[in-house]
Amino acid sequence: MKTEREIMLSGKLYKSGDKELIAARKAGKRCVALYNQTAHEDEEQVQELLEDLMGKIGKDSYIESDLYIDYGKNIYIGDTFYGNTGLTILDTCEVHIGNNVMIGPRVSLITAGHPIDAAVRVRGLEYGKPITIGDNVWIGANVFVGPGVTIGDNVVIGGGAVVVKDIPADTVAVGNPAKVMRPITEADKANWEQQEKDYYDNRNK
């Protein structure tokens, strides 16, 4: 017989009032409360707390306080990740974040969902769908990413977007609901590489 945790992670309806799940949420919330109260000047302690909290946290990855999670252990983050203040991750299902990802203030990654039918909903059944974010992604401030969404590599999500469908790699997406505005092109690459060159040239003058 499957546990409620196994059912939850499979994306099927499950009972969130299960004792094992309640204990896991309490453990995650204790850990994240300590993380938010810690003086973040101590980089080693911050890293240790993130390792205790998350399923995986890569090297050179950091999250500002205040962070909010449901479980923590269902979150897997790659290297060189930066999460700005007010990041909320409801990890009813797994959240996978790649390398070199930047997330702006007050972003929500929400895997959790509730039945549309009120009668089923009030009986305490919930569900979740995983979220996957690729490498080299930049997500602007106040973005909502909903259950089941996959964001491809090198994507830019504009501030305030509501992302409820998959976003393909190498694109810029904005709006509510978020839609692909345009691809990221070789012209973008050339423009920003020139600006980078100008920056170093100006520093060396």
Side-chain angles (χ1 to χ4, degrees):
M1 184 175 178
K2 289 184 177 179
T3 66
E4 291 296 323
R5 181 178 184 277
E6 290 171 331
I7 297 169
M8 177 183 78
L9 291 173
S10 75
K12 305 296 185 183
L13 286 175
Y14 75 100
K15 287 260 180 130
S16 64
D18 174 72
K19 290 181 179 179
E20 179 192 3
L21 293 179
I22 291 172
R25 287 196 299 272
K26 286 181 177 179
K29 286 173 172 49
R30 281 194 298 271
C31 191
V32 81
L34 180 59
Y35 183 80
N36 288 331
Q37 293 165 7
T38 298
H40 281 213
E41 291 88 351
D42 188 339
E43 295 179 7
E44 186 174 331
Q45 184 182 20
V46 166
Q47 185 68 20
E48 288 175 357
L49 286 169
L50 282 175
E51 289 173 359
D52 287 343
L53 177 63
M54 304 292 184
K56 178 196 170 207
I57 185 78
K59 66 181 181 180
D60 301 320
S61 292
Y62 176 69
I63 303 173
E64 304 278 1
S65 58
D66 288 317
L67 169 66
Y68 184 87
I69 54 89
D70 262 349
Y71 297 93
K73 292 299 184 183
N74 301 325
I75 302 168
Y76 302 86
I77 296 176
D79 298 337
T80 323
F81 170 81
Y82 176 74
N84 213 319
T85 187
L87 176 60
T88 296
I89 306 178
L90 301 190
D91 55 321
T92 294
C93 275
E94 291 183 354
V95 176
H96 290 266
I97 300 174
N99 301 318
N100 306 309
V101 172
M102 297 191 301
I103 291 184
R106 298 175 301 279
V107 167
S108 297
L109 309 178
I110 309 298
T111 70
H114 300 274
I116 291 175
D117 181 75
V120 175
R121 189 168 64 244
V122 299
R123 287 194 284 269
L125 286 166
E126 303 178 8
Y127 69 92
K129 300 293 179 184
I131 290 173
T132 302
I133 298 171
D135 295 336
N136 312 316
V137 172
W138 171 26
I139 297 177
N142 299 303
V143 168
F144 170 90
V145 179
V149 165
T150 294
I151 296 173
D153 294 345
N154 309 314
V155 165
V156 175
I157 305 291
V162 176
V163 187
V164 293
K165 293 184 178 179
D166 293 352
I167 304 296
D170 302 297
T171 59
V172 177
V174 299
N176 180 7
K179 295 180 180 178
V180 173
M181 182 175 69
R182 65 177 182 87
I184 296 172
T185 66
E186 287 299 314
D188 291 309
K189 178 180 173 65
N191 172 50
W192 288 102
E193 286 185 350
Q194 182 60 52
Q195 291 196 49
E196 181 184 33
K197 181 179 180 299
D198 292 345
Y199 164 75
Y200 287 108
D201 289 345
N202 290 331
R203 282 195 64 187
N204 293 329
K205 284 182 180 178

